Amino acid sequence: MDKSSALDYINQMFPTEASLSGVEPLMQKIHNEIRRVDAGILAAVRQQSNSGTKAKEDLAAATHAVEELMYKIREIKTKAEQSETMVQEICRDIKKLDFAKKHITTTITALHRLTMLVSAVEQLQVMASKRQYKEAAAQLEAVNQLCSHFEAYRDIPKITELREKFKSIKQILKSHVFSDFSSLGTGKETEESNLLQQLSDACLVVDALEPSVREELVNNFCGRELTSYEQIFEGAELAKLDKTERRYAWIKRRMRTNEEIWKIFPPSWHVPYRLCIQFCKKTRKQLEDILENLKEKPDVGTLLLALQRTLEFEDELAVKFGGSSSSSREVGNDIEEIGRAESNSQKAADIRKKYEKRLAAHQGSGTEDKDGNTDLSVPGAGFNFRGIISSCFEPHMTVYVELEEKTLMENLEKLVQDETWDIEEASQNNVLNSSMQLFLIIKRSLKRCSALTKSKTLFNLFKVFQKILKAYATKLFARLPKGGTGIVAAATGMDGQIKTSDKDEKLICYIVNSAEYCHKTSGELAESVSKIIDTQLANGVDMSEVQDEFSAVITKALVTLVLGLETKFDAEMAVMTRVPWGSLESVGDQSEYVNGINMILTSSIPSLGSLLSPIYFQFFLDKLASSLGPRFYANIFKCKHISETGAQQMLLDTQAVKTILLDIPTLARQTTSAASYSKFVSREMSKAEALLKVILSPVDSVADTYRALLPEGTPMEFQRILELKGLKKADEQTILDDFNKHGPAITQPSIPASVTPVVPAAPVIANNASLGFIASREDVLTRAAALGRGAATTGFKRFLALTEAAKDRKDGPFRKLFNT
């Protein structure tokens, strides 16, 4: 305890004077506790002293025990060395005797084998001289095994002599066998009944000799068999392309006739297989010479017949010698898939299995070596008969491609000529019959070519397909109604008006659907060809240019559809300008021209909505809104005078037109993108509403209202608005001067559409001439982009390009934008 704690303890024990009487007992108790603690400390010190002494004694005893253990280990080691020395002394003589025994045994065995070798060589020499092939084959095996035991004794003269003698015997056997085989095929086998058996035994001798002997024998045999073939078909009479089939008939007849005779060859030699390979190489060489020496282009029929018979022969060889011809069926399945919708119920396992087969086929074809550099000794060891002969036709297939192109072009012309340009009521896809028939014809042509070749000829035919499809796109393009008017027409460079009937509108929809079908199917065609064609040519298979052509047809057709409706609106726009807006006394129901617009859309839109796909119908709607909105805005400026009542009536009509446009998706039963379309219509029609609100504004605040509601307006438009309000010239000039002094909020002009354009004041032109030209150009591109909303990429680029070209025209509504 610290000092304060001790005091607290004493005060706690003796809180009062009366408690001090207990001091003496407490002191006695404390003294007793001190004595007890001292005794415990003394006992612990004594015990620790005794423990230290005992520990020293234990350590000394352990050290002594370790020393004794080390002494015993050294003693045991010494005795072990003495024992080993004693054992070596005892076994020294036994080891010498063991080595002697081993050497004697080896010597006896070697002498015994030498005796056997000498005897076997002598016997083999007798068998060779007597042409005892069957016994000689067995004896050869025995001699070869005995010779292998004397590899270590090659330098001993006796062994060298035996080896030389054995080598000369093998040479004698080889010459006898080759001499006997030279009579095979000469007719002796029918005269001498035992000749075939003797040759069969000779094959056993050949197998016992080196592998090179077998190779040489088989090559000699195949060469003799094909000598007559070369002599027959190198003659002037049969060395012709139309005699190709007789070549294959000759080898098949030869193999069939000699099938029994050739059974003398062991199956492991694969003699018919090797013979067919050499036949194919010689045939290829002769056919190449025939084709190259032709003085003029070969007849297509003769060429294709020869190629077809060659392919059939190659397939027969592939099947006969372990190959497979299932690849042609898989190619046919790939081609049949062109133009078909993919089934959603197809299982993933089926798809995986299909592509695993293709991968295996691709890997198999990758090992093909048409020059015969592969190991040809075993059928199916990587050699593929497909193309070993037929590939020589490839450089001469130009006439075939030209014939296919001529046929396809004639079929295209006939399809277009016979096209009714209408769709049967039972049709589900609303596609022209000529489109589907064209791809059926192309599929048949692709099947024909893929059955003949999958190399450069197929690639050239694919280019023909591209040409045919581009020609068909041109036919569709030409079938569209010509001419046009209005904003879209000016942007695309079309002149005149397009008057379209209900039948014309359906035809345009059919053309859109047909172009979409061709766009999709041409991509599937390219995909199928890339799977069929040789790998090195697959990267060049591309239909993007053809698809661009059909995208352009779709864009042109949809623009034409809008122009047709625009032409129908011409009469209603003219009625709108003839209404006496300046003398109207009251605001009534919507005007007659609004009802006319509604009738036009009600009669056309449902049919268009049912025929066009959602994406192209949305594209059509955007173009329609981007055309009708600005046109309605510009048509207001064509009116003469608009009173306040007239402006109110026109504002009511504007809202009615806006409602009609917003109801188009519902009318067409296509509401998938109605929200974005509604925003687009509202934005376009809000400009006309803002213009009418400016006309309704008081004279003293008309300039401020114009700046607020039409910040993109121009002095020309503002001047025309003042004319529409019917102001006096003096008042009009005062307001216009004040407007020009303060300047418009934004100098970017919108489209001036007044019938009598008013030239702005000279200072404005001077200050804003260059800026007006740039702003006008940018405004054209902005509006063209709005017209192109929803279009395909290619169509949109084409549309912008045509819009850009509008500034180079000498006349037309848009020309004014570039002459500011």
Side-chain angles (χ1 to χ4, degrees):
M1 294 182 183
D2 55 15
K3 184 177 181 180
S4 60
S5 299
L7 291 176
D8 291 339
Y9 177 73
I10 293 172
N11 290 331
Q12 183 179 359
M13 296 298 294
F14 306 103
T16 61
E17 260 183 64
S19 62
L20 292 175
S21 59
V23 171
E24 288 298 331
L26 178 62
M27 292 298 293
Q28 186 63 34
K29 182 179 178 182
I30 291 173
H31 284 305
N32 292 336
E33 181 69 21
I34 291 171
R35 283 193 294 273
R36 187 181 66 80
V37 172
D38 288 341
I41 293 172
L42 182 60
V45 170
R46 288 174 180 172
Q47 184 179 1
Q48 181 62 32
S49 176
N50 295 334
S51 298
T53 303
K54 186 178 180 181
K56 289 180 180 179
E57 293 174 354
D58 293 340
L59 179 61
T63 304
H64 181 67
V66 170
E67 289 176 353
E68 288 183 352
L69 180 61
M70 292 297 295
Y71 174 75
K72 290 180 180 180
I73 291 173
R74 285 194 296 270
E75 187 178 8
I76 292 170
K77 185 177 180 181
T78 303
K79 290 181 179 180
E81 291 175 352
Q82 294 173 356
S83 299
E84 183 180 0
T85 304
M86 187 181 300
V87 170
Q88 288 178 351
E89 290 292 333
I90 294 171
C91 295
R92 183 179 299 166
D93 296 335
I94 298 175
K95 192 174 183 181
K96 289 181 180 179
L97 292 174
D98 185 58
F99 281 137
K101 180 183 177 182
K102 184 178 179 181
H103 292 321
I104 291 172
T105 304
T106 304
T107 303
I108 293 172
T109 304
L111 290 173
H112 180 64
R113 287 176 178 170
L114 179 60
T115 303
M116 294 174 61
L117 178 60
V118 172
S119 175
V121 170
E122 291 177 353
Q123 292 176 13
L124 182 62
Q125 187 175 13
V126 174
M127 294 173 185
S129 62
K130 294 182 179 180
R131 282 183 164 86
Q132 296 175 349
Y133 295 131
K134 187 173 184 180
E135 294 79 3
Q139 196 70 5
L140 272 172
E141 293 290 342
V143 174
N144 282 327
Q145 290 182 6
L146 289 171
C147 284
S148 65
H149 295 296
F150 292 95
E151 286 295 327
Y153 309 107
R154 297 176 65 94
D155 297 333
I156 297 175
K158 182 61 177 179
I159 301 300
T160 304
E161 180 184 347
L162 284 173
R163 294 177 69 88
E164 289 297 328
K165 186 176 181 180
F166 178 52
K167 185 176 180 181
S168 64
I169 293 171
K170 289 196 293 185
Q171 191 64 35
I172 293 171
L173 280 172
K174 176 183 175 183
S175 62
H176 286 344
V177 169
F178 276 57
S179 174
D180 291 345
F181 268 100
S182 64
S183 62
L184 185 64
T186 60
K188 288 185 179 181
E189 60 271 11
T190 59
E191 300 174 1
E192 303 178 14
S193 58
N194 62 339
L195 179 60
L196 292 180
Q197 182 61 43
Q198 185 179 358
L199 293 178
S200 179
D201 295 340
C203 292
L204 300 178
V205 173
V206 174
D207 274 337
L209 296 172
E210 291 80 7
S212 60
V213 177
R214 184 184 64 187
E215 290 292 320
E216 185 180 351
L217 178 63
V218 173
N219 289 334
N220 287 345
F221 169 76
C222 293
R224 286 198 309 273
E225 286 291 324
L226 296 176
T227 300
S228 60
Y229 167 74
E230 292 179 327
Q231 293 173 351
I232 294 172
F233 289 95
E234 281 183 353
E237 182 180 351
L238 294 179
K240 297 179 181 178
L241 196 61
D242 56 355
K243 307 296 184 182
T244 304
E245 186 176 3
R246 297 183 61 178
R247 296 173 178 269
Y248 309 132
W250 181 91
I251 188 64
K252 287 189 283 187
R253 184 172 59 253
R254 189 73 174 172
M255 293 176 67
R256 186 170 58 252
T257 304
N258 297 325
E259 184 177 3
E260 291 297 325
I261 299 176
W262 292 352
K263 286 183 178 180
I264 62 174
F265 296 107
S268 60
W269 288 18
H270 307 293
V271 172
Y273 170 75
R274 302 283 296 277
L275 177 66
C276 288
I277 291 177
Q278 291 200 21
F279 169 81
C280 291
K281 290 182 177 179
K282 292 181 181 296
T283 303
R284 175 192 172 98
K285 180 66 173 61
Q286 291 185 358
L287 289 178
E288 283 179 344
D289 293 340
I290 292 172
L291 289 169
E292 289 175 1
N293 293 329
L294 289 175
K295 297 181 180 179
E296 54 186 21
K297 290 183 177 181
D299 178 66
V300 179
T302 305
L303 181 69
L304 294 184
L305 181 61
L307 177 56
Q308 182 64 35
R309 296 295 179 261
T310 302
L311 292 171
E312 291 173 357
F313 177 68
E314 290 174 349
D315 285 340
E316 289 178 12
L317 294 182
V319 173
K320 181 177 180 64
F321 297 111
S324 174
S325 59
S326 61
S327 59
S328 60
R329 292 193 295 270
E330 291 183 3
V331 167
N333 293 336
D334 287 337
I335 297 173
E336 286 301 325
E337 291 176 2
I338 299 173
R340 291 184 179 178
E342 191 171 328
S343 174
N344 293 327
S345 62
Q346 188 176 17
K347 296 181 180 178
D350 296 335
I351 299 175
R352 184 172 61 253
K353 184 176 180 182
K354 171 183 174 183
Y355 282 94
E356 284 175 352
K357 285 183 178 179
R358 288 180 180 172
L359 178 61
H362 174 70
Q363 291 174 344
S365 63
T367 61
E368 179 179 345
D369 188 348
K370 295 177 182 177
D371 294 328
N373 295 327
T374 325
D375 180 13
L376 308 180
S377 60
V378 181
F383 187 81
N384 191 349
F385 279 100
R386 177 77 184 203
I388 186 173
I389 303 175
S390 58
S391 57
C392 72
F393 288 88
E394 195 68 36
H396 307 277
M397 293 291 285
T398 308
V399 289
Y400 164 70
V401 176
E402 292 173 353
L403 178 63
E404 285 285 357
E405 180 177 357
K406 179 181 177 183
T407 305
L408 287 171
M409 195 62 74
E410 290 174 354
N411 286 328
L412 173 62
E413 295 295 335
K414 187 175 186 303
L415 286 174
V416 175
Q417 184 178 356
D418 297 341
E419 178 61 71
T420 61
W421 303 103
D422 198 2
I423 303 297
E424 297 179 0
E425 295 182 0
S427 177
Q428 298 294 328
N429 53 8
N430 295 320
V431 175
L432 292 172
N433 182 63
S434 57
S435 300
M436 296 183 287
Q437 291 299 321
L438 178 61
F439 277 99
L440 286 176
I441 294 172
I442 289 177
K443 283 164 61 176
R444 287 196 289 268
S445 176
L446 179 57
K447 271 188 177 181
R448 287 194 298 269
C449 185
S450 60
L452 298 174
T453 175
K454 299 179 180 62
S455 191
K456 187 66 176 178
T457 301
L458 180 58
F459 186 73
N460 293 336
L461 184 62
F462 177 75
K463 291 182 177 179
V464 172
F465 294 159
Q466 290 178 317
K467 183 177 179 180
I468 296 300
L469 291 173
K470 287 180 180 179
Y472 183 66
T474 304
K475 301 285 186 184
L476 294 179
F477 205 92
R479 196 65 179 79
L480 293 171
K482 300 297 187 296
T485 186
I487 295 176
V488 177
T492 54
M494 299 179 184
D495 293 325
Q497 294 182 335
I498 297 180
K499 295 182 179 181
T500 55
S501 61
D502 293 342
K503 183 178 180 181
D504 292 334
E505 291 177 351
K506 288 183 178 180
L507 171 60
I508 294 173
C509 293
Y510 296 152
I511 291 177
V512 170
N513 294 334
S514 300
E516 181 184 11
Y517 170 80
C518 294
H519 182 283
K520 176 185 175 183
T521 311
S522 58
E524 295 174 354
L525 175 63
E527 183 180 355
S528 296
V529 173
S530 64
K531 293 175 183 177
I532 297 170
I533 202 168
D534 289 345
T535 309
Q536 63 270 22
L537 298 173
N539 292 334
V541 178
D542 184 24
M543 275 287 186
S544 58
E545 292 185 4
V546 174
Q547 291 177 318
D548 290 346
E549 293 287 336
F550 286 112
S551 296
V553 172
I554 293 172
T555 304
K556 169 72 179 301
L558 293 173
V559 171
T560 303
L561 199 59
V562 174
L563 295 176
L565 285 178
E566 255 196 14
T567 302
K568 292 182 179 181
F569 294 149
D570 285 348
E572 311 306 328
M573 293 293 105
V575 171
M576 175 182 174
T577 58
R578 290 197 295 268
V579 173
W581 300 106
S583 59
L584 286 182
E585 296 179 356
S586 62
V587 178
D589 199 359
Q590 63 189 32
S591 302
E592 285 300 320
Y593 72 89
V594 177
N595 294 332
I597 293 175
N598 188 29
M599 288 182 62
I600 293 171
L601 294 176
T602 303
S603 63
S604 298
I605 293 300
S607 174
L608 300 180
S610 63
L611 293 176
L612 293 176
S613 61
I615 182 173
Y616 293 121
F617 186 73
Q618 175 66 28
F619 178 67
F620 161 74
L621 289 184
D622 290 345
K623 285 187 174 294
L624 181 63
S626 62
S627 170
L628 188 56
R631 187 178 184 188
F632 190 87
Y633 177 87
N635 212 52
I636 296 176
F637 286 100
K638 294 181 181 179
C639 299
K640 295 181 179 179
H641 171 60
I642 304 175
S643 65
E644 182 176 349
T645 303
Q648 291 176 354
Q649 178 65 47
M650 191 177 292
L651 185 60
L652 176 66
D653 293 343
T654 304
Q655 293 171 349
V657 172
K658 178 180 177 181
T659 303
I660 292 171
L661 291 176
L662 292 175
D663 288 341
I664 287 179
T666 304
L667 187 63
R669 297 181 180 178
Q670 291 200 18
T671 58
T672 54
S673 56
S676 60
Y677 169 72
S678 298
K679 293 179 181 179
F680 191 57
V681 170
S682 300
R683 185 177 72 247
E684 292 295 330
M685 296 303 295
S686 63
K687 297 177 183 178
E689 294 175 347
L691 175 60
L692 293 171
K693 290 177 183 178
V694 172
I695 296 175
L696 282 170
S697 62
V699 175
D700 54 353
S701 62
V702 65
D704 295 334
T705 305
Y706 181 71
R707 291 191 188 95
L709 296 181
L710 295 171
E712 297 181 359
T714 63
M716 286 191 299
E717 280 190 353
F718 183 66
Q719 182 175 358
R720 179 57 184 156
I721 290 172
L722 297 180
E723 292 177 356
L724 292 175
K725 289 178 69 68
L727 297 179
K728 295 180 180 180
K729 289 294 182 180
D731 297 338
E732 177 183 327
Q733 189 60 40
T734 301
I735 296 173
L736 188 60
D737 292 342
D738 182 66
F739 177 80
N740 288 334
K741 182 163 66 170
H742 290 86
I746 299 177
T747 58
Q748 183 179 1
S750 59
I751 301 175
S754 175
V755 177
T756 54
V758 179
V759 179
V764 177
I765 298 178
N767 293 332
N768 297 318
S770 60
L771 180 61
F773 175 79
I774 298 173
S776 301
R777 182 176 181 276
E778 292 176 351
D779 188 53
V780 173
L781 297 179
T782 302
R783 293 183 178 276
L787 290 174
R789 251 176 94 249
T793 304
T794 305
F796 180 48
K797 289 179 179 178
R798 179 181 175 83
F799 191 85
L800 286 180
L802 292 172
T803 307
E804 185 73 12
K807 67 177 183 289
D808 298 327
R809 294 172 47 78
K810 295 182 180 180
D811 54 7
F814 266 29
R815 182 58 192 171
K816 299 172 184 177
L817 295 175
F818 302 97
N819 289 331
T820 306

